[in-house]
Amino acid sequence: MYVRVKRALDLALSLAAIIALSWLFVIIAIAVKLEDGGNIIFRQKRIGIHKREFYIYKFRTMKAETPKDMPTHMLKDPQAYITQIGKFLRKSSLDELPQLFNILRGDMSIVGPRPALYNQYDLIEERDKYGANDITPGLTGWAQVNGRDELPIPVKAAYDGEYVRRMSLLFDIRIIIKTVFSVFTADGVREGKK
């Protein structure tokens, strides 16, 4: 039952946010283009509900020559690839704003497990144990607000499984509130570390 309500809320909130933040989209797009040229939006193959692949959208924060489809922590020197505007966008999580369009399309939800890269086989396999690959991935999630980049894969997957068990409107509201706090404090953000 909540899944239907959740989708309706996702549609309404993502559309409202896109309209309300359209001015910010324009400013960020201009800043990205002016600094490094190239594409404004970065597309990356991710794993969605029932392990279906889709392309996630982000504002590009890394230089054009950065290897594609590689998690930041696996790059030899991540800082060398991140643009100046990219550092700010990542720290503030504003690079994630284009995912509002993924939510509008139904690829993602506002709250759910963060979508794994298509080649993060260890995370995908671990999530299978908890049924976390069988729900719509989210812009933010329970694992995100409990450690984000700092969590080892088994712990991250366990948090995702806990979300599957506890999924409800009140739990989603709690996660959104914690997300706002985490974004303002840049809690759990670690570039280039596993």
Side-chain angles (χ1 to χ4, degrees):
M1 177 65 179
Y2 176 59
V3 174
R4 288 183 185 172
V5 173
K6 187 174 170 71
R7 179 62 190 143
L9 288 171
D10 284 341
L11 276 169
L13 293 175
S14 61
L15 184 58
I18 289 167
I19 293 166
L21 299 173
S22 57
W23 62 274
L24 186 55
F25 276 84
V26 172
I27 290 170
I28 294 171
I30 291 168
V32 170
K33 192 73 174 176
L34 286 177
E35 180 178 355
D36 193 53
N39 295 331
I40 293 165
I41 299 295
F42 172 71
R43 288 182 353 137
Q44 192 175 56
K45 195 186 295 183
R46 296 289 181 115
I47 298 298
I49 188 170
H50 306 307
K51 294 192 272 194
R52 293 187 195 122
E53 293 179 352
F54 74 98
Y55 283 95
I56 199 171
Y57 304 121
K58 295 184 176 193
F59 282 117
R60 188 170 57 82
T61 60
M62 301 188 100
K63 296 174 183 174
E65 68 268 16
T66 306
K68 303 288 186 265
D69 295 327
M70 185 179 287
T72 304
H73 72 265
M74 293 183 71
L75 294 168
K76 188 174 180 180
D77 182 12
Q79 293 299 327
Y81 291 101
I82 301 172
T83 62
Q84 288 304 308
I85 186 68
K87 288 176 186 174
F88 170 73
L89 293 176
R90 283 170 169 247
K91 188 172 182 179
S92 62
S93 295
L94 290 172
D95 62 319
E96 311 281 357
L97 279 179
Q99 288 164 48
L100 290 168
F101 290 97
N102 286 114
I103 294 168
L104 202 60
R105 287 171 41 128
D107 297 327
M108 292 174 64
S109 181
I110 291 171
V111 181
R114 283 294 294 161
L117 280 165
Y118 76 95
N119 57 1
Q120 285 182 297
Y121 306 114
D122 48 355
L123 177 57
I124 296 164
E125 185 179 341
E126 197 68 24
R127 282 178 170 171
D128 272 337
K129 298 175 185 178
Y130 301 100
N133 291 315
D134 296 324
I135 63 170
T136 307
L139 180 62
T140 187
W142 189 228
Q144 287 294 103
V145 298
N146 282 289
R148 207 168 171 177
D149 299 333
E150 296 179 344
L151 296 175
I153 283 171
V155 176
K156 186 181 291 189
Y159 274 122
D160 292 334
E162 185 181 347
Y163 176 74
V164 172
R165 293 191 311 274
R166 296 177 62 186
M167 189 167 54
S168 68
L169 179 58
L170 287 177
F171 195 41
D172 280 2
I173 290 169
R174 179 180 172 192
I175 292 168
I176 290 167
I177 291 167
K178 284 191 76 164
T179 298
V180 171
F181 178 78
S182 293
V183 166
F184 280 115
T185 60
D187 188 33
V189 178
R190 289 169 56 190
E191 297 296 357
K193 296 179 183 175
K194 208 165 185 178

